[in-house]
Amino acid sequence: DWALRDDLPLDNVISVAEARIWDDLRIREMGAREVTTITEPASQVETPQRFVHMRRLRLLQSDGGFVLKYTAPDEMPSRLRAGLPYQFAVHVDQIEFDATLAVGSQLEMLFFRSPWPLGIDVPEDMPEDEIPKYSTDGKVVDTNPVLKTRPNIYLWASLIEVYGRENADASEWAVRYKEATDKANESARASQSSGSRRATSTSRGIA
């Protein structure tokens, strides 16, 4: 019997727990990179599949390009500027720019992506090399890189939902959940910072 609750199907608990986790967690296992080529003039493009949070957005050019500045949606200019874009905002499923992107423009996106949801059938568009990361039988998504490396976060998030109506229990699990996500995020930031310092040091040595 799942936590002695007959009014909460396990699938529902996991779905709500995952929504909470992807709002809060920003770790290496969620990192992704995509390059999008503009096929028609546009001042908006769709966010990548299972997009959670943008880390960096670069407009690629022959000289390497430049990083666009993130701006809150309600602070974006009301009119499009001429020339190249310099700002962007993220809406629910759209990325808005302060200028029109020309055909052939390329955008490099470094972002956090949520894993495939637990319990669903393996999607037809899941790359074959990713299937072992998400499914033990090749048919149903029954695991993911975050669950494998941070199972405690899944546990605490699920228990928050199970005991959400009992404040004392909810607060206990909420504290454990926050401690676990804060620790994971801090570890990811420290690892990224360390990697950046090593890369800088190596580049200077070669020069």
Side-chain angles (χ1 to χ4, degrees), residues 23-44:
D23 278 345
D24 298 331
L25 199 61
R26 302 288 184 267
I27 59 176
R28 179 179 56 83
E29 290 83 354
M30 297 169 62
R33 175 185 180 273
E34 284 190 10
V35 174
T36 297
T37 301
I38 303 303
T39 57
E40 59 182 43
S43 61
Q44 294 186 346

Side-chain angles (χ1 to χ4, degrees), residues 49 71 74 81 94 98 112 133 139 151 165 170 178:
Q49 189 179 38
T71 302
D74 59 355
R81 63 189 307 277
Q94 295 283 323
D98 63 339
F112 290 107
K133 300 178 184 178
K139 299 178 181 179
R165 300 174 190 175
K178 186 177 186 306

Side-chain angles (χ1 to χ4, degrees), residues 81-179:
R81 63 189 307 277
L84 299 173
Y86 287 97
Q87 300 179 72
F88 75 95
V90 178
H91 300 272
V92 176
D93 58 359
Q94 295 283 323
I95 302 172
E96 176 190 1
F97 299 90
D98 63 339
T100 299
L101 294 160
V103 173
S105 299
Q106 288 192 312
L107 298 167
E108 179 194 50
M109 304 182 197
L110 299 182
F111 61 99
F112 290 107
R113 188 204 303 274
S114 66
W116 295 97
L118 294 177
I120 66 170
D121 293 337
V122 170
E124 294 182 0
D125 59 343
M126 182 184 289
E128 289 190 10
D129 61 341
E130 283 195 8
I131 293 178
K133 300 178 184 178
Y134 288 94
S135 178
T136 55
D137 62 5
K139 299 178 181 179
V140 177
V141 175
D142 54 13
T143 187
N144 63 53
V146 175
L147 178 61
K148 289 177 180 178
T149 59
R150 310 285 181 177
N152 57 329
I153 290 178
Y154 258 89
L155 175 61
W156 306 141
S158 298
L159 289 174
I160 291 173
E161 172 61 16
V162 172
Y163 294 107
R165 300 174 190 175
E166 289 82 27
N167 292 334
D169 287 324
S171 64
E172 177 185 351
W173 307 127
V175 168
R176 295 188 182 187
Y177 168 79
K178 186 177 186 306
E179 288 176 346

Side-chain angles (χ1 to χ4, degrees), residues 8 33 70 75 102 104 108 123 130 133 174 183 189 192 197:
L8 283 177
R33 175 185 180 273
Y70 171 77
E75 296 179 2
E108 179 194 50
E130 283 195 8
K133 300 178 184 178
K183 182 177 180 180
R189 285 192 295 268
Q192 182 179 1
R197 288 196 298 270

